[in-house]
Amino acid sequence: MKPKYDGQSVLRNPLNGWVMYAPRNADDTYWDIEYFVPALGKKVKVIDYASACYVRTSWSSLNPSGGVYAWNNPSSKIGKLLKGAQKRGLPIALRIVVDGRDQGQNTPKFVFDQGAKYYLENENHPDRQTPYPQDAVFRKYYSKFITALAQEFNDPEKTSFIDAYGLGKWGEAHYVVYEDPKTATPESTEKIKEETLEWVTNLYAKAFTEVPLVINYHPLGRASRKLGSCKSKQRTLIG
């Protein structure tokens, strides 16, 4: 066989290449972003070289009220963004943020209305609530949300990868709040940390069976070492 040489086309390999980093409030002009590339001597459209559209967004933006999901709402900005990627044949990648200390209401208000316990770092910002990840009410509604998310995005044709953690500041495991810092002890925090890691990764692994799962996790002692002993064949945990 003598394949025809092609030095121009971009081969989009799974989990390789560049991603378009999409803000949650992106509009349709987002797809027209161009950058000047000196080596080419011209501007190029980013989407022509991207392997995935990476969306780091809040739980509240995707699930603003009970049973309501943005991907089913063609008029929502985040819904348009997700559908726009699908229409252009670009798989998406998702990280869901729940921590509210820096960005506001990242966990839907209805979860707190149902009694989920939370930490409030600054009383001057009452909407910046951060749920305790071991709280039963939080877990009930978060599990329901992740299950619904998987029903839509557990598909390698439309999804590049899913972040299987998402706790802490910006969903990056920065300073995860497991207990009220005023009463927490190192021993109790370590115990909750390890149990929470097992819970959240098991939740994602059970829901997402067809797409890679990744995790951004800091070297915080015992819990981080548990990553090496995960037995589920459905997990791909990348530190």
Side-chain angles (χ1 to χ4, degrees):
M1 295 181 63
K2 296 182 179 180
K4 183 179 178 180
Y5 175 73
D6 181 357
Q8 300 297 321
S9 300
V10 177
L11 300 179
R12 292 179 174 175
N13 295 324
L15 296 180
N16 285 273
W18 298 93
V19 301
M20 297 185 74
Y21 199 137
R24 68 183 73 173
N25 61 348
D27 56 29
D28 222 40
T29 61
Y30 169 74
W31 305 110
D32 297 322
I33 295 174
E34 293 183 330
Y35 286 102
F36 180 77
V37 179
L40 298 177
K42 64 179 181 179
K43 284 187 175 182
V44 299
K45 189 172 285 190
V46 178
I47 194 172
D48 292 338
Y49 293 84
S51 299
C53 176
Y54 178 80
V55 182
R56 183 173 68 181
T57 190
S58 65
W59 176 12
S60 58
S61 71
L62 292 173
N63 183 197
S65 58
V68 175
Y69 304 109
W71 54 84
N72 294 327
N73 181 1
S75 64
S76 68
K77 278 196 171 184
I78 190 71
K80 288 180 180 178
L81 176 66
L82 297 175
K83 295 297 183 185
Q86 293 174 11
K87 185 174 70 174
R88 291 166 175 82
L90 191 65
I92 65 157
L94 283 169
R95 172 183 289 170
I96 313 300
V97 183
V98 301
D99 194 297
R101 282 171 289 174
D102 289 339
Q103 300 172 327
Q105 198 78 47
N106 278 339
T107 293
K109 184 177 181 299
F110 76 85
V111 177
F112 299 118
D113 291 342
Q114 292 299 317
K117 295 181 175 61
Y118 61 89
Y119 170 66
L120 190 63
E121 186 176 64
N122 188 337
E123 293 184 358
N124 292 325
H125 298 283
D127 65 328
R128 295 184 180 180
Q129 301 155 300
T130 297
Y132 294 122
Q134 74 277 19
D135 179 78
V137 176
F138 165 80
R139 290 191 177 187
K140 173 184 175 181
Y141 289 103
Y142 190 72
S143 297
K144 182 180 179 181
F145 165 67
I146 295 302
T147 300
L149 187 75
Q151 289 173 354
E152 179 70 17
F153 295 104
N154 186 29
D155 180 351
E157 292 295 321
K158 65 170 67 172
T159 306
S160 178
F161 64 88
I162 297 287
D163 188 311
Y165 189 70
L167 305 178
K169 289 189 173 182
W170 320 298
E172 295 179 354
H174 289 289
Y175 307 107
V176 181
V177 179
Y178 300 97
E179 306 176 88
D180 187 332
K182 296 178 182 178
T183 58
T185 65
E187 294 76 17
S188 63
T189 296
E190 280 298 310
K191 183 177 179 180
I192 297 170
K193 181 194 301 181
E194 184 168 350
E195 192 277 332
T196 295
L197 178 64
E198 288 293 317
W199 168 75
V200 72
T201 54
N202 277 325
L203 172 64
Y204 276 92
K206 182 179 178 181
F208 288 93
T209 57
E210 303 297 327
V211 300
L213 298 176
V214 303
I215 181 171
N216 186 77
Y217 199 79
H218 287 243
L220 300 176
R222 227 167 11 118
S224 65
R225 291 202 295 273
K226 289 291 288 184
L227 293 178
S229 64
C230 289
K231 297 180 180 179
S232 172
K233 293 182 180 179
Q234 297 167 358
R235 288 194 188 121
T236 302
L237 297 179
I238 301 174

